[in-house]
Each structure stands twice: as C-alpha cells, then as structure tokens.
Amino acid sequence: MDHASDGKARTKNMVLRLDPELADLLATVAEVEDRSVSDVAREAIAALVHARRRDKRFRRKLEENLARHQRLLDLLQDDQQ
C-alpha cells in the first residue's frame, strides 16, 4: 500500500468486472460477515498474491518472462548502437 507524506494510507481505485452470480456470492459473503464487499475482495486478492509468492510454478513463469523481456531489451539496445 502506498503511504502519503502525511502518514495516511492511500488506496488505488480499480474497476473489477464479475459475472452476476459471482458478484451475488461475494455480496452474500460480505453481508453474512458484516463487512464491505471491497474488504472481502481485498482479503481474497491478498490471499491469492500471498499464495502465488510461494508457488514455484508461478515464480518459474515470472523468471521466464523476465528473461524474455531482458532479451528484448538487449535486442532494442543493439539496434540503437
């Protein structure tokens, strides 16, 4: 999360498109838990990111993407010389 210079936490607004059934289920979870839909969605997204950080297959794919992008950057630099 970004922090402003005055010490207050800032958030980033995002648009999230869900199919109607999933949106209804998310709203139901939020209502039953007496929480906002945004809070429940943030928790679910944080759990997904946390899981991916520990997922070896995901990290391997990330490393492959980094290597591919580095090769592309190298090619672009070679063209400029």
Side-chain angles (χ1 to χ4, degrees):
M1 194 178 321
D2 294 336
H3 295 281
S5 58
D6 64 3
K8 293 182 181 178
R10 298 183 319 183
T11 60
K12 181 174 181 175
N13 291 330
M14 300 182 80
V15 174
L16 179 63
R17 299 189 198 298
L18 300 174
D19 66 65
E21 183 178 352
L22 183 56
D24 288 344
L25 291 169
L26 178 61
T28 300
V29 170
E31 184 177 333
V32 168
E33 294 183 354
D34 195 28
R35 299 167 61 194
S36 70
V37 169
S38 291
D39 188 43
V40 174
R42 275 191 298 272
E43 180 183 299
I45 292 166
L48 174 67
V49 170
H50 180 78
R52 290 299 188 269
R53 284 182 167 164
R54 285 152 178 71
D55 183 326
K56 290 180 182 178
R57 191 177 84 212
F58 175 81
R59 292 188 65 91
R60 186 175 60 249
K61 289 173 89 172
L62 177 59
E63 289 170 4
E64 290 168 0
N65 279 327
L66 286 172
R68 181 172 52 87
H69 286 123
Q70 184 60 55
R71 283 192 301 275
L72 293 172
L73 280 171
D74 293 344
L75 285 171
L76 288 171
Q77 286 179 343
D78 287 346
D79 288 347
Q80 292 178 355
Q81 294 176 357

